[in-house]
Amino acid sequence: MCRICNSSTSLAFTHQILARYDCKYYFCDNCGGMQTEEPHWLDEAYASPIAAADTTMLWRNQYLARAMSVLLYFLFDRRGRFLDAAGGYGVFTRLMRDIGFDYYWTDKHSPNLTAQGFEAAAGPGPPYTVVTAFEVMEHLADPVGFVAELLETTGTDSIVFTTELFDGRPPPPEEWMYYAFATGQHITFYQKSTLAFIGKQFGMQFHTSKTRWWQLGGMGLHIWTRAKINPLAWRLLASPRITGLLEGLPRRALQTRMWTDADVFLKADDER
């Protein structure tokens, strides 16, 4: 049974994960999604919050900070409040605060190493103008439940996220590295129709930049939103070329929070 739309699924293939478990992958003709069998190995897969194979983590956060600074500056209230859900070690949150955005962090499974003091609980509370969730959706056994909880707890109308998409039938195991068999952490996979289906459940439009991470040095950026956003503007502003041309504007127009954030902690130390 599909964990996204509750329709019947068919076996796509079986492949070994974590070099020890034979795992069945199921495809849903209704929503176009694909998922593993019930993932009983997750405790083992997440012995470390960040997989050793995730060698793109720093590059990814740096690129996403540049791209998101452009998108937030031109398409949303740049003076709003923002949240990075499942934010890992806090690198993206720290980078966005350095640019000048009022960004916060939350993650149930990872320590906050670089954005300490700016956890979601430290702010005045929801709603958030935009919530980001990068490289999260493929890790979820219940993506619809995740989106529902995010909307309820953050009060946002827009979720920006990344996940690599496939088209049509599932790619053969030997042709798609995104299965990440060695880590066991990627358990749900999507195509555009799947993500549009999920958004529709919450009255949200789905738009995508369509860029794949290995093309032009960028990543595909997707959004579920209730805001009126021109899909062409989204694709244009999310493109690596436009990001490269415009990324300096938010940095010049906004005031970095780097030094004011440091002052909060320095003053607290002085008062002890």
Side-chain angles (χ1 to χ4, degrees):
M1 187 69 69
C2 179
R3 296 191 292 263
I4 297 172
C5 68
N6 296 318
S7 298
S8 298
T9 57
S10 58
L11 180 65
F13 59 84
T14 299
H15 200 280
Q16 194 172 74
I17 62 170
L18 289 174
R20 69 185 70 190
Y21 302 117
D22 290 330
C23 175
K24 295 181 175 64
Y25 287 71
Y26 294 94
F27 178 71
C28 177
D29 282 310
N30 183 52
C31 70
M34 183 172 58
Q35 59 216 211
T36 66
E37 61 183 76
E38 196 64 30
H40 57 83
W41 56 86
L42 292 185
D43 286 346
E44 183 177 345
Y46 287 100
S48 171
I50 307 297
D54 189 8
T55 57
T56 66
M57 183 185 70
L58 290 180
W59 169 85
R60 183 174 68 242
N61 280 284
Q62 290 169 342
Y63 173 78
L64 288 170
R66 295 194 298 270
M68 284 304 302
S69 69
V70 172
L71 289 164
L72 296 182
Y73 186 85
F74 286 100
L75 297 181
F76 296 93
D77 178 7
R78 66 196 70 161
R79 304 293 179 181
R81 295 174 62 249
F82 307 93
L83 178 71
D84 192 30
Y89 293 153
V91 175
F92 178 77
T93 297
R94 184 64 262 164
L95 290 171
M96 293 301 285
R97 294 190 68 83
D98 290 353
I99 293 170
F101 292 94
D102 191 16
Y103 237 98
Y104 294 86
W105 168 99
T106 185
D107 196 313
K108 296 178 181 178
H109 306 290
S110 177
N112 178 9
L113 301 181
T114 60
Q116 294 179 40
F118 301 99
E119 294 81 5
Y128 290 95
T129 306
V130 174
V131 173
T132 46
F134 298 131
E135 295 303 287
V136 177
M137 298 302 297
E138 62 277 4
H139 295 258
L140 302 174
D142 180 14
V144 176
F146 173 81
V147 174
E149 180 181 4
L150 210 54
L151 293 173
E152 180 179 356
T153 58
T154 68
T156 192
D157 282 329
S158 300
I159 301 173
V160 179
F161 61 104
T162 59
T163 190
E164 186 63 28
L165 306 182
F166 68 94
D167 297 315
R169 303 300 297 182
E174 66 277 6
E175 294 181 9
W176 202 37
M177 65 180 296
Y178 208 66
Y179 288 124
F181 298 120
T183 72
Q185 294 185 357
H186 289 192
I187 59 176
T188 303
F189 307 89
Y190 311 84
Q191 47 189 316
K192 286 185 288 185
S193 61
T194 322
L195 297 175
F197 176 90
I198 294 174
K200 189 176 180 180
Q201 309 311 300
F202 302 98
M204 306 177 88
Q205 295 293 315
F206 168 69
H207 307 303
T208 178
S209 68
K210 298 183 179 180
T211 304
R212 291 191 169 96
W213 69 268
W214 62 84
Q215 294 175 329
L216 306 176
M219 296 185 70
L221 281 162
H222 319 301
I223 184 172
W224 289 305
T225 185
R226 298 188 183 111
K228 293 182 179 179
I229 292 178
N230 186 315
L232 179 59
W234 177 263
R235 290 196 297 272
L236 182 65
L237 290 171
S239 69
R241 289 193 180 96
I242 298 302
T243 292
L245 289 172
L246 298 179
E247 64 175 296
L249 183 56
R251 293 180 183 274
R252 291 192 297 270
L254 301 176
Q255 183 175 357
T256 180
R257 296 171 184 267
M258 188 185 311
W259 310 118
T260 53
D261 286 354
D263 284 344
V264 171
F265 297 101
L266 293 173
K267 289 177 181 178
D269 288 339
D270 289 340
E271 293 170 359
R272 288 175 185 172

